[in-house]
Amino acid sequence: MTVTATSVGQPDQLEPQAARPSRGARLLRLVPAAAAALSGVLLYVSFPPRTLWWLALPAFAVLGWVLRGRSWKAALGLGYLFGLGFLLPLLVWTGVEVGPGPWLALVVIEAVFVALVGVGVAAVSKLPAWPLWAAALWIAGEAARARVPFRGFPWGKIAFGQADGVFLSLAAVGGTPVLGFAVVLCGFGLYEVVRLVLERRRSGEVRRSAAALALLSVALPVVGAVAARSLVSDKAEDGTATVALIQGNVPRLGLEFNAQRRAVLDYHARETERLAAEVKAGKVAQPDFVLWPENSSDIDPFAYADAAAVIDKAAKAINAPISVGGVVERDGKLYNEQILWDPVEGPTQTYDKRQVQPFGEYLPLRSFIGAINENWTSMVGQDFSRGSKPGVFDMDGTEVGLATCYEAAFDWAVRDTVTHGAQLISVPSNNATFDRSEMTYQQLAMSRVRAVEHSRTVTVPVTSGVSAIIMPDGKITQKTGMFVADSLVQKVPLRSSETPATKLGILPEIALVLVAVGGLGWAIGAGVRARRSATG
């Protein structure tokens, strides 16, 4: 019998080759994953210190394309990749001094919230007006991140990347939730417009209602932002005050910024006395009050007479009350405290930081973390206790609201200073532990958003920079460099009216969460009905 070449083994070899997807097809399957991660990076690039706020729109447009019509499993993975692409570079400063472990752990946890939002966006992506439901879901995810775990971590809210953007005025309408919602809605709407244009080219038909809703999702945020500009003003309502910010600098960078006893305090006192000499010489206006940063006194002035004497001397030299940031021990508890120091009466008022930073000022799960790495527990030897009352100092007749550093990221912590009478907001901070990272610029952008949100001048005195004075319209009028001793003096407007955002408080966020829940419920119901009809 003659055996041909095709009868010996050829069919067995050809059949699996035909079934196996080509290399191009396999690479094509990776496109959504790559697009999800890269669009997350694009969102990161839209954040400060860059002024590329508009990149948030194509970032969400690509995310909308990636998630549309996906199964929940695929959406979970793609959403997680988007979260990693965004948060890994955004939060890299959290590992500057403690190594990559805490930074990676934080990102891994925070990206879960983004992944869950991705599942929701995929679920609503086939609904009419889906950009509306999807944008509300994003804000619901931000609301959850701002509360759990460990009292929340709102860093990376979309609103905080929009200090230079056209949407900023919407902060005065409904705070960070409304500002963030508008940006995300416009981004998803942008994708929907492109999708419908391509569909029309392909099929020749597009429903008018769908086209109208897509255009509205892009146009309404822009129109709303233009209309909201009438709420933004830097005019004085209660006169003006001349404020001085002191940036004393620190002897060294990193976690050991205060290792040299009393050095940080001496630096700030020295800069204050230098400013006092310029005032006396007529080179600089006499300030009504002076603002020092968080941790500007590295020694408890209530426990050490020498520290109290240094502060008292500086207050007398400048002849104005000083808000001093110190670490104070009281009844065996540590407090991150602002102290109002009068040149005549000495310390008169205090404010204890209420939103203390997990893993920085207190250590959750201490025994568990200690079992992993004892060095991490030694970095937070004793937990800070939380204050319970809003901080508003009466400084030479001006009501100054205080939101210490990390608190600026939390809506409630800034708002209740205004509802308790603040005519000006101060955000005393200490960024010395984060070296020259982007952290200080990200935090400065938050303060700019807060200025517009509540229509208040916001001052940002920082130990090592960047310190700044921000007008109620969000514009920076003066700022310092990083890791230099400097001072800023300026006459600023005082205001007492409340924006809609201040009056409404948490209500816009609740409303958007309810919209998200409604859209998700509609999508789930539609899916159930479709499965029932399919099974007969």
Side-chain angles (χ1 to χ4, degrees), residues 48-136:
R50 296 156 295 277
T51 57
L52 303 174
W53 58 270
W54 51 272
L55 287 178
L57 303 183
F60 280 102
V62 174
L63 181 64
W65 168 71
V66 165
L67 293 177
R68 180 175 171 79
R70 298 286 179 180
S71 68
W72 74 265
K73 289 182 180 179
L76 187 71
L78 292 169
Y80 198 76
L81 287 173
F82 180 84
L84 291 179
F86 172 43
L87 295 171
L88 271 170
L90 185 79
L91 302 179
V92 68
W93 53 267
T94 60
V96 166
E97 291 297 329
V98 295
W103 161 52
L104 294 174
L106 175 64
V107 171
V108 164
I109 293 170
E110 294 295 309
V112 170
F113 291 90
V114 182
L116 293 174
V117 169
V119 174
V121 171
V124 302
S125 63
K126 294 299 183 68
L127 296 178
W130 73 266
L132 170 71
W133 315 113

Coordinates of all heavy atoms in Angstrom, one line a residue, residues 48-136:
P48 N -2.1 67.9 39.5 CA -0.9 68.8 39.8 C 0.3 67.9 40.1 O 0.1 66.8 40.6 CB -1.4 69.6 41.0 CG -2.9 69.5 40.9 CD -3.2 68.2 40.3
P49 N 1.5 68.5 39.9 CA 1.8 69.9 39.6 C 1.6 70.2 38.1 O 1.8 71.4 37.8 CB 3.3 70.0 40.0 CG 3.8 68.6 39.7 CD 2.7 67.7 40.1
R50 N 1.2 69.4 37.3 CA 0.9 69.7 35.9 C -0.5 70.4 35.8 O -1.3 70.3 36.7 CB 0.8 68.4 35.0 CG 2.2 67.7 34.9 CD 2.0 66.2 34.6 NE 1.3 65.5 35.7 CZ 1.9 65.1 36.8 NH1 3.2 65.2 37.0 NH2 1.2 64.5 37.7
T51 N -0.7 71.2 34.8 CA -1.9 72.0 34.6 C -2.7 71.4 33.4 O -3.4 72.1 32.8 CB -1.6 73.4 34.4 OG1 -0.8 73.6 33.2 CG2 -1.0 74.1 35.6
L52 N -2.6 70.1 33.2 CA -3.2 69.4 32.1 C -4.6 68.8 32.5 O -4.9 67.7 32.2 CB -2.3 68.3 31.6 CG -0.9 68.8 31.1 CD1 0.0 67.6 30.7 CD2 -1.0 69.7 29.9
W53 N -5.4 69.6 33.2 CA -6.7 69.2 33.8 C -7.6 68.5 32.8 O -8.4 67.6 33.1 CB -7.4 70.4 34.4 CG -7.6 71.5 33.4 CD1 -6.8 72.5 33.2 CD2 -8.7 71.6 32.6 NE1 -7.3 73.3 32.2 CE2 -8.5 72.8 31.8 CE3 -9.9 70.9 32.3 CZ2 -9.4 73.2 30.8 CZ3 -10.8 71.3 31.4 CH2 -10.5 72.5 30.6
W54 N -7.5 69.0 31.5 CA -8.4 68.5 30.5 C -8.1 67.1 30.1 O -9.0 66.5 29.4 CB -8.3 69.4 29.2 CG -6.8 69.6 28.8 CD1 -6.0 70.6 29.2 CD2 -6.1 68.8 27.8 NE1 -4.7 70.4 28.6 CE2 -4.8 69.3 27.8 CE3 -6.5 67.7 27.1 CZ2 -3.8 68.8 26.9 CZ3 -5.5 67.2 26.3 CH2 -4.2 67.7 26.2
L55 N -7.0 66.5 30.4 CA -6.7 65.1 30.1 C -7.6 64.2 30.8 O -7.7 63.0 30.5 CB -5.2 64.8 30.4 CG -4.2 65.4 29.5 CD1 -2.8 65.0 30.0 CD2 -4.4 64.9 28.1
A56 N -8.3 64.7 31.9 CA -9.3 63.8 32.6 C -10.4 63.4 31.6 O -11.0 62.3 31.8 CB -9.8 64.5 33.8
L57 N -10.7 64.3 30.7 CA -11.9 64.0 29.8 C -11.6 62.8 28.9 O -12.3 61.8 28.8 CB -12.2 65.2 29.0 CG -12.6 66.5 29.8 CD1 -13.0 67.6 28.9 CD2 -13.7 66.2 30.8
P58 N -10.4 62.8 28.1 CA -10.1 61.6 27.3 C -9.9 60.4 28.2 O -10.1 59.3 27.7 CB -8.9 62.0 26.5 CG -8.3 63.2 27.2 CD -9.5 63.9 27.8
A59 N -9.4 60.6 29.4 CA -9.1 59.4 30.3 C -10.4 58.7 30.5 O -10.5 57.5 30.4 CB -8.5 59.9 31.6
F60 N -11.5 59.4 30.9 CA -12.8 58.8 31.1 C -13.5 58.4 29.8 O -14.3 57.4 29.8 CB -13.7 59.7 31.9 CG -13.3 59.7 33.4 CD1 -12.6 60.7 34.0 CD2 -13.7 58.6 34.2 CE1 -12.3 60.7 35.3 CE2 -13.4 58.6 35.5 CZ -12.7 59.6 36.1
A61 N -13.2 59.0 28.7 CA -13.8 58.6 27.5 C -13.2 57.2 27.1 O -14.0 56.3 26.7 CB -13.4 59.6 26.4
V62 N -11.9 57.0 27.3 CA -11.3 55.7 27.0 C -11.9 54.7 28.0 O -12.2 53.5 27.6 CB -9.8 55.8 27.1 CG1 -9.2 54.4 26.9 CG2 -9.3 56.7 26.0
L63 N -12.0 55.0 29.2 CA -12.5 54.1 30.2 C -14.0 53.7 29.8 O -14.3 52.5 30.0 CB -12.5 54.7 31.6 CG -13.1 53.8 32.7 CD1 -12.2 52.6 32.9 CD2 -13.2 54.6 34.0
G64 N -14.8 54.6 29.4 CA -16.1 54.3 28.9 C -16.1 53.3 27.8 O -16.9 52.3 27.7
W65 N -15.2 53.5 26.8 CA -15.0 52.5 25.7 C -14.6 51.1 26.2 O -15.2 50.1 25.8 CB -14.0 53.1 24.7 CG -13.6 52.0 23.7 CD1 -14.4 51.5 22.7 CD2 -12.4 51.3 23.6 NE1 -13.7 50.6 22.0 CE2 -12.4 50.4 22.5 CE3 -11.2 51.4 24.4 CZ2 -11.4 49.6 22.1 CZ3 -10.1 50.6 24.0 CH2 -10.2 49.7 22.9
V66 N -13.7 51.1 27.1 CA -13.2 49.8 27.6 C -14.2 49.0 28.4 O -14.3 47.8 28.2 CB -12.0 50.1 28.6 CG1 -11.6 48.9 29.4 CG2 -10.8 50.5 27.8
L67 N -15.1 49.7 29.1 CA -16.1 49.1 30.0 C -17.4 48.8 29.3 O -18.2 47.9 29.8 CB -16.3 49.9 31.2 CG -15.1 50.0 32.2 CD1 -15.5 51.0 33.4 CD2 -14.7 48.7 32.7
R68 N -17.7 49.4 28.2 CA -19.0 49.3 27.7 C -19.4 47.8 27.3 O -18.6 47.2 26.5 CB -19.2 50.2 26.4 CG -20.6 50.1 25.8 CD -20.7 51.0 24.6 NE -21.9 50.8 23.9 CZ -23.1 51.1 24.2 NH1 -23.3 51.8 25.3 NH2 -24.2 50.8 23.5
G69 N -20.5 47.3 27.9 CA -21.0 46.0 27.5 C -20.2 44.9 28.1 O -20.4 43.7 27.7
R70 N -19.2 45.1 29.0 CA -18.4 44.0 29.5 C -19.2 43.2 30.6 O -20.1 43.7 31.2 CB -17.1 44.6 30.2 CG -16.2 45.3 29.2 CD -15.5 44.4 28.3 NE -14.6 45.1 27.4 CZ -13.8 44.6 26.5 NH1 -13.8 43.2 26.4 NH2 -13.1 45.3 25.7
S71 N -18.7 42.0 30.7 CA -19.2 41.2 31.8 C -18.7 41.7 33.1 O -17.7 42.5 33.2 CB -18.8 39.7 31.7 OG -17.4 39.6 31.9
W72 N -19.3 41.3 34.3 CA -18.9 41.9 35.5 C -17.4 41.5 35.9 O -16.7 42.3 36.4 CB -19.8 41.5 36.7 CG -19.7 40.1 37.1 CD1 -20.5 39.1 36.7 CD2 -18.9 39.6 38.1 NE1 -20.1 37.9 37.4 CE2 -19.1 38.2 38.3 CE3 -17.8 40.1 38.9 CZ2 -18.4 37.4 39.2 CZ3 -17.2 39.3 39.8 CH2 -17.5 38.0 39.9
K73 N -17.0 40.3 35.5 CA -15.7 39.9 35.8 C -14.6 40.7 35.0 O -13.6 41.1 35.5 CB -15.5 38.4 35.5 CG -16.3 37.5 36.4 CD -16.0 36.0 36.1 CE -16.8 35.1 37.1 NZ -16.5 33.6 36.7
A74 N -14.9 40.9 33.7 CA -14.0 41.6 32.9 C -14.0 43.1 33.3 O -12.9 43.7 33.4 CB -14.5 41.6 31.4
A75 N -15.1 43.6 33.7 CA -15.2 45.0 34.2 C -14.4 45.2 35.5 O -13.8 46.2 35.7 CB -16.6 45.5 34.3
L76 N -14.5 44.2 36.3 CA -13.7 44.2 37.6 C -12.2 44.3 37.3 O -11.5 45.2 37.9 CB -14.1 43.0 38.4 CG -13.5 43.0 39.9 CD1 -14.2 44.0 40.7 CD2 -13.6 41.6 40.5
G77 N -11.8 43.5 36.4 CA -10.3 43.5 36.1 C -9.9 44.8 35.4 O -8.8 45.4 35.8
L78 N -10.7 45.2 34.5 CA -10.3 46.4 33.7 C -10.4 47.7 34.6 O -9.6 48.5 34.5 CB -11.3 46.6 32.5 CG -11.1 45.5 31.4 CD1 -12.2 45.6 30.4 CD2 -9.8 45.7 30.7
G79 N -11.4 47.7 35.5 CA -11.5 48.8 36.4 C -10.3 48.8 37.4 O -9.8 49.9 37.7
Y80 N -9.9 47.6 37.8 CA -8.7 47.6 38.7 C -7.5 48.1 38.0 O -6.7 48.8 38.6 CB -8.5 46.1 39.2 CG -7.7 46.0 40.4 CD1 -8.2 46.3 41.6 CD2 -6.4 45.6 40.3 CE1 -7.4 46.3 42.8 CE2 -5.6 45.5 41.4 CZ -6.1 45.9 42.7 OH -5.3 45.8 43.8
L81 N -7.3 47.7 36.7 CA -6.1 48.2 36.0 C -6.2 49.7 35.8 O -5.1 50.4 35.9 CB -6.1 47.5 34.6 CG -5.7 46.1 34.6 CD1 -5.9 45.5 33.2 CD2 -4.3 45.9 35.1
F82 N -7.3 50.3 35.6 CA -7.5 51.7 35.5 C -7.1 52.4 36.8 O -6.4 53.4 36.9 CB -8.9 52.1 35.2 CG -9.2 53.6 35.1 CD1 -8.9 54.2 33.9 CD2 -9.7 54.3 36.1 CE1 -9.1 55.6 33.8 CE2 -9.9 55.7 36.0 CZ -9.6 56.3 34.8
G83 N -7.6 51.8 37.9 CA -7.2 52.3 39.3 C -5.7 52.2 39.5 O -5.2 53.1 40.1
L84 N -5.1 51.1 39.2 CA -3.6 51.0 39.3 C -2.9 52.0 38.5 O -1.9 52.7 39.0 CB -3.2 49.6 39.0 CG -3.6 48.5 39.9 CD1 -3.1 47.1 39.3 CD2 -3.1 48.7 41.3
G85 N -3.3 52.2 37.3 CA -2.7 53.2 36.4 C -2.7 54.6 36.9 O -1.8 55.4 36.8
F86 N -3.8 54.9 37.6 CA -4.1 56.2 38.2 C -3.4 56.4 39.5 O -2.6 57.4 39.8 CB -5.6 56.4 38.3 CG -6.0 57.7 39.1 CD1 -5.4 58.9 38.9 CD2 -7.0 57.6 40.0 CE1 -5.8 60.0 39.5 CE2 -7.4 58.7 40.7 CZ -6.8 60.0 40.5
L87 N -3.6 55.5 40.4 CA -3.2 55.6 41.8 C -1.7 55.3 42.1 O -1.1 55.9 43.0 CB -4.1 54.8 42.7 CG -5.5 55.2 42.8 CD1 -6.4 54.2 43.5 CD2 -5.7 56.6 43.4
L88 N -1.1 54.3 41.3 CA 0.3 54.0 41.6 C 1.2 55.2 41.5 O 2.0 55.5 42.4 CB 0.7 52.9 40.6 CG 0.5 51.5 41.1 CD1 0.8 50.5 40.0 CD2 1.4 51.1 42.3
P89 N 1.1 56.0 40.4 CA 2.0 57.2 40.3 C 1.5 58.3 41.2 O 2.3 59.1 41.7 CB 2.0 57.5 38.8 CG 0.7 57.0 38.3 CD 0.4 55.7 39.1
L90 N 0.2 58.4 41.3 CA -0.4 59.6 42.1 C 0.1 59.5 43.6 O 0.4 60.5 44.2 CB -1.9 59.6 42.1 CG -2.6 60.8 42.7 CD1 -2.5 62.0 41.8 CD2 -4.0 60.4 43.1
L91 N 0.2 58.3 44.1 CA 0.4 58.2 45.6 C 1.8 57.7 45.9 O 2.1 57.3 47.0 CB -0.6 57.2 46.2 CG -2.1 57.5 46.0 CD1 -3.0 56.5 46.6 CD2 -2.4 58.9 46.6
V92 N 2.7 57.8 44.9 CA 4.1 57.3 45.1 C 4.8 58.0 46.3 O 5.6 57.5 46.9 CB 4.9 57.4 43.8 CG1 5.2 58.9 43.5 CG2 6.2 56.6 43.9
W93 N 4.3 59.2 46.6 CA 4.9 60.0 47.7 C 4.7 59.3 49.0 O 5.5 59.6 50.0 CB 4.4 61.4 47.7 CG 2.9 61.5 47.7 CD1 2.0 61.6 46.7 CD2 2.0 61.5 48.9 NE1 0.7 61.7 47.1 CE2 0.7 61.6 48.4 CE3 2.3 61.4 50.3 CZ2 -0.4 61.6 49.3 CZ3 1.2 61.4 51.1 CH2 -0.1 61.5 50.7
T94 N 3.7 58.5 49.2 CA 3.5 57.8 50.5 C 4.6 56.8 50.8 O 4.7 56.4 52.0 CB 2.1 57.1 50.5 OG1 2.1 56.1 49.4 CG2 1.0 58.0 50.2
G95 N 5.4 56.5 49.9 CA 6.5 55.6 50.1 C 7.9 56.2 50.1 O 8.9 55.5 50.1
V96 N 7.9 57.5 50.1 CA 9.2 58.2 49.9 C 10.2 57.9 51.1 O 11.3 57.6 50.8 CB 9.0 59.8 49.9 CG1 10.3 60.5 50.1 CG2 8.4 60.2 48.5
E97 N 9.7 57.9 52.3 CA 10.5 57.6 53.4 C 10.4 56.2 54.1 O 11.3 55.8 54.8 CB 10.3 58.7 54.5 CG 10.7 60.1 54.1 CD 12.2 60.2 53.9 OE1 13.0 59.5 54.6 OE2 12.6 61.0 53.1
V98 N 9.3 55.6 53.8 CA 9.0 54.3 54.5 C 9.2 53.1 53.5 O 9.0 52.0 53.9 CB 7.6 54.3 55.1 CG1 7.6 55.3 56.2 CG2 6.5 54.5 54.1
G99 N 9.5 53.3 52.3 CA 9.7 52.2 51.3 C 8.4 51.9 50.6 O 7.4 52.4 50.9
P100 N 8.5 51.0 49.6 CA 7.4 50.7 48.7 C 6.3 49.9 49.4 O 5.2 49.9 48.8 CB 8.0 49.9 47.6 CG 9.2 49.3 48.2 CD 9.7 50.3 49.2
G101 N 6.5 49.2 50.5 CA 5.5 48.4 51.1 C 4.2 49.1 51.4 O 3.1 48.7 50.9
P102 N 4.2 50.2 52.2 CA 3.0 50.9 52.5 C 2.3 51.5 51.3 O 1.1 51.5 51.2 CB 3.4 51.9 53.5 CG 4.7 51.4 54.2 CD 5.3 50.6 53.1
W103 N 3.2 52.1 50.4 CA 2.6 52.7 49.2 C 1.9 51.6 48.4 O 0.7 51.9 47.9 CB 3.8 53.3 48.4 CG 3.5 53.5 46.9 CD1 2.5 54.2 46.4 CD2 4.3 53.1 45.8 NE1 2.6 54.3 45.0 CE2 3.7 53.6 44.7 CE3 5.5 52.4 45.7 CZ2 4.3 53.4 43.4 CZ3 6.1 52.2 44.5 CH2 5.4 52.7 43.3
L104 N 2.5 50.5 48.1 CA 1.8 49.5 47.3 C 0.6 48.9 48.0 O -0.5 48.7 47.3 CB 2.8 48.3 47.0 CG 4.0 48.7 46.1 CD1 4.9 47.6 46.0 CD2 3.5 49.2 44.7
A105 N 0.6 48.7 49.3 CA -0.5 48.2 50.0 C -1.7 49.2 49.9 O -2.9 48.8 49.7 CB -0.2 48.0 51.5
L106 N -1.4 50.5 50.1 CA -2.5 51.5 50.0 C -3.1 51.5 48.6 O -4.3 51.5 48.4 CB -1.9 52.9 50.2 CG -2.8 54.1 50.1 CD1 -3.9 54.1 51.0 CD2 -2.0 55.4 50.2
V107 N -2.3 51.4 47.5 CA -2.8 51.5 46.2 C -3.6 50.2 45.9 O -4.7 50.3 45.3 CB -1.6 51.6 45.2 CG1 -2.1 51.4 43.7 CG2 -1.0 53.0 45.3
V108 N -3.1 49.1 46.3 CA -3.9 47.8 46.1 C -5.3 47.9 46.7 O -6.2 47.4 46.1 CB -3.1 46.6 46.7 CG1 -3.9 45.4 46.9 CG2 -1.9 46.3 45.9
I109 N -5.4 48.5 47.9 CA -6.7 48.6 48.6 C -7.6 49.6 47.9 O -8.7 49.4 47.6 CB -6.5 48.9 50.0 CG1 -5.8 47.8 50.8 CG2 -7.8 49.3 50.7 CD1 -5.4 48.1 52.2
E110 N -7.0 50.8 47.6 CA -7.8 51.9 47.0 C -8.3 51.5 45.6 O -9.4 51.9 45.2 CB -7.0 53.2 47.0 CG -6.6 53.7 48.3 CD -7.9 54.2 49.1 OE1 -8.7 54.9 48.5 OE2 -8.0 53.8 50.3
A111 N -7.5 50.8 44.9 CA -7.9 50.4 43.5 C -9.1 49.5 43.5 O -9.8 49.4 42.5 CB -6.7 49.8 42.8
V112 N -9.3 48.8 44.6 CA -10.5 47.9 44.7 C -11.8 48.8 44.5 O -12.7 48.3 43.8 CB -10.5 47.2 46.0 CG1 -11.9 46.5 46.2 CG2 -9.4 46.2 46.1
F113 N -11.8 50.0 45.1 CA -13.0 50.8 44.9 C -13.2 51.2 43.5 O -14.3 51.2 43.0 CB -12.8 52.1 45.8 CG -12.8 51.9 47.3 CD1 -11.7 51.6 48.0 CD2 -14.0 51.9 47.9 CE1 -11.7 51.4 49.3 CE2 -14.1 51.7 49.3 CZ -12.9 51.5 50.0
V114 N -12.1 51.5 42.8 CA -12.2 51.8 41.3 C -12.7 50.6 40.5 O -13.5 50.7 39.6 CB -10.9 52.3 40.8 CG1 -11.0 52.7 39.3 CG2 -10.4 53.5 41.6
A115 N -12.2 49.4 40.9 CA -12.7 48.2 40.2 C -14.2 48.0 40.4 O -14.9 47.6 39.4 CB -11.9 47.0 40.8
L116 N -14.7 48.2 41.6 CA -16.1 48.0 41.8 C -16.9 49.0 41.1 O -18.0 48.7 40.5 CB -16.4 48.1 43.3 CG -15.8 47.0 44.2 CD1 -16.0 47.2 45.7 CD2 -16.4 45.6 43.8
V117 N -16.4 50.3 41.0 CA -17.1 51.3 40.1 C -17.1 50.8 38.7 O -18.1 51.0 38.0 CB -16.4 52.6 40.3 CG1 -16.9 53.6 39.2 CG2 -16.6 53.2 41.6
G118 N -16.0 50.2 38.2 CA -15.9 49.6 36.9 C -17.0 48.6 36.6 O -17.7 48.6 35.5
V119 N -17.3 47.8 37.6 CA -18.4 46.8 37.4 C -19.7 47.5 37.2 O -20.6 47.2 36.4 CB -18.5 45.9 38.6 CG1 -19.7 45.0 38.6 CG2 -17.2 45.0 38.7
G120 N -19.9 48.6 38.1 CA -21.2 49.3 38.0 C -21.3 50.0 36.6 O -22.4 50.1 36.0
V121 N -20.2 50.6 36.2 CA -20.3 51.4 34.9 C -20.6 50.4 33.7 O -21.4 50.7 32.8 CB -18.9 52.1 34.6 CG1 -18.9 52.6 33.2 CG2 -18.7 53.2 35.6
A122 N -20.0 49.2 33.8 CA -20.3 48.2 32.7 C -21.8 47.8 32.8 O -22.4 47.6 31.7 CB -19.4 47.0 32.9
A123 N -22.3 47.7 34.0 CA -23.7 47.3 34.1 C -24.7 48.4 33.6 O -25.7 48.0 32.9 CB -24.0 47.1 35.6
V124 N -24.4 49.6 33.7 CA -25.3 50.7 33.2 C -25.0 51.1 31.8 O -25.7 52.0 31.3 CB -25.3 51.9 34.2 CG1 -25.6 51.5 35.6 CG2 -23.9 52.6 34.2
S125 N -23.9 50.6 31.2 CA -23.4 51.1 30.0 C -24.4 51.0 28.8 O -24.2 51.6 27.7 CB -22.1 50.5 29.6 OG -22.2 49.1 29.4
K126 N -25.4 50.1 28.9 CA -26.4 49.9 27.8 C -27.7 50.7 28.1 O -28.6 50.6 27.3 CB -26.7 48.4 27.6 CG -25.5 47.6 27.1 CD -25.0 48.1 25.8 CE -23.9 47.3 25.2 NZ -24.2 46.0 24.8
L127 N -27.8 51.4 29.2 CA -29.0 52.1 29.6 C -29.0 53.4 28.8 O -28.0 54.0 28.4 CB -29.0 52.4 31.0 CG -29.1 51.3 32.0 CD1 -29.1 51.8 33.5 CD2 -30.4 50.4 31.8
P128 N -30.2 54.0 28.5 CA -30.3 55.3 28.0 C -29.7 56.3 29.0 O -29.7 56.1 30.2 CB -31.9 55.6 27.9 CG -32.5 54.2 27.9 CD -31.6 53.3 28.7
A129 N -29.0 57.3 28.4 CA -28.3 58.3 29.2 C -27.3 57.7 30.2 O -27.1 58.1 31.3 CB -29.3 59.1 30.0
W130 N -26.6 56.6 29.7 CA -25.7 55.9 30.6 C -24.6 56.8 31.2 O -24.1 56.5 32.3 CB -25.1 54.7 29.9 CG -24.1 55.0 28.8 CD1 -24.3 55.1 27.5 CD2 -22.7 55.2 29.0 NE1 -23.1 55.4 26.8 CE2 -22.1 55.4 27.7 CE3 -21.9 55.2 30.1 CZ2 -20.8 55.7 27.6 CZ3 -20.5 55.4 29.9 CH2 -20.0 55.7 28.7
P131 N -24.0 57.8 30.5 CA -23.0 58.6 31.1 C -23.4 59.2 32.4 O -22.6 59.4 33.3 CB -22.7 59.7 30.0 CG -23.0 59.1 28.7 CD -24.2 58.2 29.1
L132 N -24.7 59.6 32.5 CA -25.2 60.1 33.8 C -25.1 59.1 34.9 O -24.6 59.4 36.0 CB -26.7 60.5 33.6 CG -27.5 60.9 34.9 CD1 -27.0 62.2 35.4 CD2 -29.0 60.9 34.6
W133 N -25.6 57.9 34.7 CA -25.5 56.9 35.7 C -24.1 56.5 36.0 O -23.7 56.3 37.2 CB -26.3 55.6 35.3 CG -27.6 55.9 34.7 CD1 -28.0 55.7 33.4 CD2 -28.8 56.5 35.3 NE1 -29.3 56.1 33.1 CE2 -29.8 56.6 34.3 CE3 -29.0 56.9 36.6 CZ2 -31.0 57.1 34.6 CZ3 -30.3 57.4 36.9 CH2 -31.3 57.5 35.9
A134 N -23.2 56.4 35.0 CA -21.8 56.0 35.2 C -21.1 57.1 36.0 O -20.3 56.8 36.9 CB -21.2 55.8 33.8
A135 N -21.3 58.4 35.7 CA -20.6 59.4 36.4 C -21.1 59.5 37.9 O -20.2 59.7 38.8 CB -20.9 60.8 35.8
A136 N -22.3 59.2 38.1 CA -22.8 59.2 39.5 C -22.2 58.0 40.3 O -21.9 58.1 41.4 CB -24.4 59.1 39.5

